[in-house]
Amino acid sequence: MFIAACDDFQGTNSSPADGILRELPEGVRAIAAPNQNLSAVRVDPADGCYVYRYAGPVETTYLPLRTVEGSPICTRASDAPVAE
């Protein structure tokens, strides 16, 4: 599902090797739900949303970084159509 998240993302404040942000914006830290790895976050270039590295019992993968309400945290607005 997050195949694009495995691609290298080279932003202005990320490590070229893995795309991990060196410094997470303070606004993102403020709204992120607890129990997410904020030390290993990058932006998924496919949708512009933040993802964090989750090390599970079987594999390590990237999951969407979410707010306490469960909404994904993104760098840009969703391209969803607006209802008229």
Side-chain angles (χ1 to χ4, degrees), residues 10-41:
Q10 297 182 9
T12 56
N13 61 344
S14 65
S15 165
D18 57 12
I20 300 294
L21 299 175
R22 290 185 189 140
E23 195 170 321
L24 193 60
E26 194 58 40
V28 173
R29 283 188 177 281
I31 63 172
N35 301 321
Q36 299 178 103
N37 182 5
L38 298 183
S39 66
V41 175

Side-chain angles (χ1 to χ4, degrees), residues 50-73:
Y50 290 93
V51 292
Y52 72 97
R53 186 171 48 213
Y54 171 75
V58 177
E59 66 182 349
T60 298
T61 189
Y62 282 86
L63 299 175
L65 189 64
R66 298 198 177 267
T67 64
V68 175
E69 293 83 22
S71 301
I73 302 172

